[in-house]
Amino acid sequence: GGDHTITYPILQALAAKHGPVGLVHVDAHTDTGDGALGEKIYHGSTFRLCVERGLLDCGRVVQIGIRGSSYDPDPHKYCREQGFRVVPAEECWMKSLEPLMREVRAQLGDRPTYISFDIDGLDPAYAPGTGTPEIAGLTPAQALEIIRGCKGLNIVGCDLVEVAPMYDASGNTALLGANLLFEMLCVLPGVKTL
């Protein structure tokens, strides 16, 4: 549920306990904007705020599924300058993400890591119930590969955000979101699965 602003206070609490954390961030957008409508804190500025407050271990941040139109000729420049790995959606099209997740696990190592999954990381054909849909996104199977690919990481928390059921009369977005949350619970450290 909720918009992506909710991740900011969660990461504040986690960083107070663990220090700066790594991040697996699935989204259509980087959420590193510098405010909107005169406000610094909004769902599109979450990870800039986290960088500014020292909550992220920036060399251990991976953003997957990023896409969409931009007003900037180099929309990922800020992220790259921070040391984030940005994986645009087009690098994910029509292939398994298991090889990517092997690289991600190696990059993130065994230090504390958080998973933040915006439902708009998925193509709106699968998840139309969100406020900022972008075409040409990830598939549900790729979402499972990403989440299951996090097994073995030192995951200290996770979220799934931006589900807006009123935009999806079928209920499929909420169903997909619930299943992805279940999958996240299954990859938490110490959870035994069959």
Side-chain angles (χ1 to χ4, degrees), residues 21 34 39 47 53 70 93 113 118 128 134 144 153 164 190:
V21 298
D34 195 18
E39 297 295 328
F47 297 110
R53 305 312 192 273
S70 172
W93 292 343
T113 298
D118 186 324
E134 300 281 0
L144 292 177
L153 292 174

Side-chain angles (χ1 to χ4, degrees), residues 21-80:
V21 298
L23 175 68
V24 175
H25 173 210
V26 180
D27 203 321
H29 313 96
T30 63
D31 291 353
T32 54
D34 195 18
L37 303 173
E39 297 295 328
K40 287 284 284 181
I41 299 174
Y42 81 111
H43 69 101
S45 68
T46 298
F47 297 110
R48 181 180 289 254
L49 292 167
C50 291
V51 168
E52 291 172 353
R53 305 312 192 273
L55 309 179
L56 294 174
D57 181 355
C58 293
R60 294 190 323 110
V61 173
V62 180
Q63 297 182 303
I64 304 170
I66 307 302
R67 63 192 187 282
S69 55
S70 172
Y71 300 109
D72 191 315
D74 189 1
H76 309 135
K77 180 180 179 192
Y78 174 84
C79 299
R80 288 193 316 272

Side-chain angles (χ1 to χ4, degrees), residues 1-167:
D3 79 28
H4 223 153
T5 311
I6 194 63
T7 307
Y8 176 49
I10 295 169
L11 289 178
Q12 286 177 308
L14 288 172
K17 180 175 182 178
H18 300 286
V21 298
L23 175 68
V24 175
H25 173 210
V26 180
D27 203 321
H29 313 96
T30 63
D31 291 353
T32 54
D34 195 18
L37 303 173
E39 297 295 328
K40 287 284 284 181
I41 299 174
Y42 81 111
H43 69 101
S45 68
T46 298
F47 297 110
R48 181 180 289 254
L49 292 167
C50 291
V51 168
E52 291 172 353
R53 305 312 192 273
L55 309 179
L56 294 174
D57 181 355
C58 293
R60 294 190 323 110
V61 173
V62 180
Q63 297 182 303
I64 304 170
I66 307 302
R67 63 192 187 282
S69 55
S70 172
Y71 300 109
D72 191 315
D74 189 1
H76 309 135
K77 180 180 179 192
Y78 174 84
C79 299
R80 288 193 316 272
E81 288 174 347
Q82 307 316 307
F84 295 5
R85 178 176 182 179
V86 178
V87 182
E90 57 264 27
E91 291 181 18
C92 302
W93 292 343
M94 297 174 279
K95 63 181 171 185
S96 170
L97 299 185
E98 286 183 359
L100 169 66
M101 293 312 296
R102 280 194 296 274
E103 295 173 12
V104 168
R105 283 193 305 276
Q107 178 182 350
L108 295 178
D110 61 0
R111 295 193 310 268
T113 298
Y114 188 81
I115 303 170
S116 188
F117 201 116
D118 186 324
I119 200 71
D120 74 22
L122 296 175
D123 190 272
Y126 306 106
T130 189
T132 52
E134 300 281 0
I135 65 163
L138 304 175
T139 68
Q142 289 173 317
L144 292 177
E145 287 179 320
I146 293 167
I147 295 169
R148 291 175 182 180
C150 289
K151 189 161 184 68
L153 292 174
N154 182 10
I155 300 166
V156 293
C158 53
D159 64 46
L160 185 129
V161 298
E162 300 286 349
V163 173
M166 65 258 197
Y167 296 142

